Amino acid sequence: MEQQRRCAWAGTDPRMIAYHDQEWGVPVHDDRLLFEFLTLEGAQAGLSWQTILNKRDAYREAFAGFDPAKVARFDSRRIERLLTNPSIVRNRLKVESTVSNARAFLTLQREAGSFDGFVWDFVGGAPKMNRWRSLRSVPARTGESDALSDALRKRGFRFVGSTICYAFMQATGLVNDHLVSCWRWKAI
């Protein structure tokens, strides 16, 4: 039986392969899941995605299932407890930004109707289908991610630089950056 070709970044780790094959690039329209990905992409800054993926379950537990209404209510004592949790990235700025981002997220939801509608406007409401032939061709940021980053920053979000926003767009299917040789490119 012929093995399916996939993007090389998935490697051989079963968790990375499952993430690549089942989640990465699949269009997401659930606000809670979008908040989760925005948080995890921010947590990844300076680290590997595999590190964050391995901590994902702990993040879900630590951050109330990524319910932005619950996370927005975290106080300084809760933040201090999180900073002692070895199962997540214990970077004060990243932890604090998750709480402040939850607050900004709720404000944006009230203003725009949904976070989903807000972010999908940056790609015209449908996934941008790229046709990359090599990983070297895939950009770290684009005009769309620059615009999303600027819009989020203006609304008080942190850890949402253009590179983080582009990784978020890739993960949540706003763009399809699977290589054309990958079986998932066509599937998405």
Side-chain angles (χ1 to χ4, degrees):
M1 185 168 153
E2 185 180 327
Q3 185 174 352
Q4 294 175 323
R5 291 185 65 188
R6 64 177 50 92
C7 301
W9 63 260
T12 58
D13 178 78
R15 191 176 292 205
M16 288 289 285
I17 291 170
Y19 174 71
H20 171 277
D21 290 358
Q22 298 165 19
E23 285 189 85
W24 193 74
V26 175
V28 173
H29 293 285
D30 174 78
D31 274 9
R32 190 213 53 81
L33 190 53
L34 289 167
F35 179 66
E36 177 176 339
F37 274 108
L38 190 65
T39 299
L40 294 176
E41 293 297 349
Q44 182 198 349
L47 303 169
S48 73
W49 179 249
Q50 187 167 5
T51 296
I52 299 305
L53 193 59
N54 289 336
K55 294 177 178 285
R56 189 178 191 183
D57 290 336
Y59 264 89
R60 285 177 174 155
E61 184 177 333
F63 289 99
F66 290 105
D67 179 332
K70 290 180 181 177
V71 176
R73 292 192 301 269
F74 285 13
D75 60 14
S76 58
R77 286 183 308 219
R78 182 83 176 254
I79 291 170
E80 291 305 318
R81 277 198 315 272
L82 287 171
L83 292 171
T84 66
N85 183 344
S87 298
I88 65 168
V89 176
R90 293 176 289 176
N91 175 299
R92 179 174 295 280
L93 294 175
K94 290 179 181 182
V95 171
E96 289 176 344
S97 74
T98 300
V99 176
S100 63
N101 284 354
R103 294 172 185 149
F105 188 93
L106 294 173
T107 300
L108 194 150
Q109 274 184 322
R110 283 191 299 275
E111 292 172 359
S114 71
F115 190 74
D116 170 59
F118 176 80
V119 296
W120 278 91
D121 277 348
F122 287 88
V123 292
K128 182 177 178 186
M129 298 295 291
N130 291 315
R131 297 179 180 275
W132 309 121
R133 299 200 179 283
S134 73
L135 285 177
R136 288 185 307 276
S137 302
V138 181
R141 60 190 281 184
T142 63
E144 293 92 348
S145 69
D146 291 347
L148 177 58
S149 173
D150 290 345
L152 291 173
R153 285 179 174 171
K154 286 178 184 170
R155 286 165 176 79
F157 286 81
R158 297 185 298 160
F159 278 91
V160 290
S162 186
T163 301
I164 289 171
C165 282
Y166 196 64
F168 166 79
M169 294 170 83
Q170 291 171 311
T172 59
L174 278 83
V175 295
N176 181 355
D177 272 357
H178 285 281
L179 300 181
V180 294
S181 59
C182 174
W183 71 276
R184 291 295 290 155
W185 183 83
K186 235 182 223 177
I188 292 175

